[in-house]
Amino acid sequence: MNVRLAESVLNKVDFNSWDDWDTYPESAYKCNCGQTVAFNFRHFQKHSFSNFTNLEAAAVTQIEALVNDTIKSETNSFLDFHCPNCKNPVRFYFFSWAGGRHGEYGYRIKFVIE
């Protein structure tokens, strides 16, 4: 497993309630096997500040062994899944924020562990 900066893996890393809708635009993740998986504002909203994982205990242990102080200090949420094609575990670490012009909120994906 490797830790990568989200910008090197995803085509969109910032979502906010002022500019984005529940389902559009999407951020595309391309797995090493070639499978593309799309995510949108609603997915990050659902997993914001949640401790729920979609992964089995062994994968969570492997991923959490890679989490360093930088990831812990720059993020407050995660979203994880298995690639629908190769079944490899993937976790996005992101920062959930609130405030701004009109009380908007949003998410910035910072790290991908795959």
Side-chain angles (χ1 to χ4, degrees):
M1 299 191 117
N2 296 307
V3 177
R4 298 174 68 186
L5 293 175
E7 292 91 0
S8 69
V9 181
L10 301 168
N11 65 323
K12 179 175 174 57
V13 297
D14 287 304
F15 291 89
N16 73 71
S17 60
W18 187 259
D19 297 322
D20 301 313
W21 295 272
D22 282 352
T23 59
Y24 181 83
E26 293 181 330
S27 180
Y29 166 77
K30 188 170 185 178
C31 183
N32 294 325
C33 72
Q35 177 71 42
T36 300
V37 182
F39 294 90
N40 55 47
F41 186 90
R42 183 176 48 192
H43 294 117
F44 296 101
Q45 185 177 36
K46 180 179 178 182
H47 289 272
S48 180
F49 301 111
S50 174
N51 290 323
F52 177 79
T53 180
N54 292 298
L55 305 177
E56 68 283 347
V60 170
T61 300
Q62 283 183 314
I63 288 171
E64 290 180 352
L66 294 172
V67 175
N68 57 33
D69 289 339
T70 301
I71 294 173
K72 289 178 185 177
S73 68
E74 292 186 16
T75 65
N76 55 21
S77 302
F78 68 85
L79 179 156
D80 54 23
F81 61 98
H82 288 280
C83 171
N85 184 47
C86 69
K87 309 301 183 217
N88 282 335
V90 179
R91 180 174 280 183
F92 298 162
Y93 279 94
F94 63 98
F95 183 74
S96 297
W97 58 269
R101 295 177 287 208
H102 304 285
E104 66 262 25
Y105 58 97
Y107 315 102
R108 176 165 179 78
I109 312 155
K110 299 250 186 173
F111 303 97
V112 176
I113 298 180
E114 52 188 3

